[in-house]
Amino acid sequence: MENHWTSKISFSLLTAALCLCAFIGIALSISDNQIHRFDDVLISWVQGMESPGMTRWMQFFTWIGSGRQVVIITILAMLVLYLYLGHRRELLFLASVLVGSTVLNALLKVVFGRARPTIHRIIEVSGYSFPSGHSMASFSLYGGLAFLIWKHIPSFTGRVFMMVASVAFILTIGMSRIYLGVHYPSDVVGGYFISGCWLFTCIWFYRRYLQRLSGLQTSSLV
């Protein structure tokens, strides 16, 4: 049992470290202005799909990934976890992931101070560009929910469907920010990586807490 927990904890920390390294690499590329070709190619590809129907679709996903909607979805998810599953510890985990991600995004935007793209902007937003807040929020929310819900889905098919749905929401919300002209692709990818670092760090602490709790309960029974 101990080796099982150790392997999971090590995987979480390793993934968090890899995400952090990837984020640092993107941040350094932005600082050295070495990532503009990557941004230009992806912006050209994504915005090349523009049509009235696609614009409405992308605006819808940007709306889903905005702050108010993320808060509403989080509260609904927490109510389900509490009322139907009775898991209070999972509520604290999800809240920590979302709050920490929001604070981290605000701090990083101030640190990097990257201006938003100005080419073909379909909607108007203010504030700094890097990393994307929508990308961080969507990764934290749907990644955190996938982690919590995974063990409650008994079938392999159900788990695959949940993972595909989570990834689709995360990627489409990020893509919507590029399509609407308010973020560079590197903002979105950077947001994914730093949010992944935060999420897997939280998973490590959460599993460590459960491990200690399990140990205390075992000791009390002996």
Side-chain angles (χ1 to χ4, degrees):
M1 182 67 176
E2 183 178 353
N3 291 334
H4 175 70
W5 277 110
T6 302
S7 64
K8 284 192 173 184
I9 290 171
S10 299
F11 174 79
S12 298
L13 281 182
L14 176 61
T15 305
L18 290 174
C19 287
L20 179 60
C21 290
F23 173 79
I24 292 174
I26 292 173
L28 291 175
S29 297
I30 291 173
S31 299
D32 295 338
N33 199 28
Q34 298 296 316
I35 205 168
H36 60 87
R37 180 165 178 78
F38 168 78
D39 284 334
D40 291 344
V41 169
L42 278 185
I43 287 174
S44 177
W45 177 69
V46 173
Q47 292 191 338
M49 297 184 289
E50 184 179 353
S51 68
M54 180 63 76
T55 298
R56 288 192 294 270
W57 188 246
M58 291 293 104
Q59 286 176 329
F60 171 72
F61 273 94
T62 273
W63 176 76
I64 287 179
S66 61
R68 181 179 298 178
Q69 276 58 244
V70 168
V71 170
I72 292 173
I73 294 171
T74 302
I75 292 174
L76 291 175
M78 293 174 73
L79 286 174
V80 171
L81 289 172
Y82 179 74
L83 295 176
Y84 293 96
L85 301 177
H87 293 162
R88 297 179 182 178
R89 292 188 296 270
E90 294 183 350
L91 304 185
L92 181 60
F93 167 81
L94 189 60
S96 299
V97 170
L98 266 296
V99 172
S101 178
T102 301
V103 173
L104 185 60
N105 178 258
L107 291 175
L108 290 173
K109 281 183 181 290
V110 172
V111 169
F112 289 99
R114 189 186 196 187
R116 293 183 183 272
T118 56
I119 301 175
H120 193 54
R121 188 179 293 184
I122 297 176
I123 64 173
E124 290 298 326
V125 294
S126 59
Y128 294 123
S129 187
F130 181 80
S132 165
H134 277 63
S135 299
M136 288 187 66
S138 64
F139 194 102
S140 296
L141 174 59
Y142 296 109
L145 285 176
F147 167 71
L148 293 177
I149 297 173
W150 176 271
K151 60 185 177 183
H152 300 296
I153 300 178
S155 68
F156 174 78
T157 303
R159 289 180 171 183
V160 170
F161 176 79
M162 180 203 64
M163 292 302 298
V164 170
S166 298
V167 171
F169 268 87
I170 292 170
L171 293 180
T172 308
I173 289 172
M175 179 180 171
S176 73
R177 305 303 284 169
I178 302 170
Y179 179 93
L180 296 172
V182 295
H183 276 296
Y184 295 102
S186 52
D187 297 333
V188 173
V189 177
Y192 289 153
F193 278 124
I194 194 61
S195 188
C197 174
W198 173 247
L199 173 61
F200 280 99
T201 300
C202 289
I203 289 174
W204 182 80
F205 278 108
Y206 178 69
R207 283 176 165 163
R208 189 176 178 86
Y209 166 75
L210 292 181
Q211 182 186 18
R212 289 182 175 179
L213 186 63
S214 177
L216 289 175
Q217 290 175 344
T218 302
S219 299
S220 64
L221 292 174
V222 172

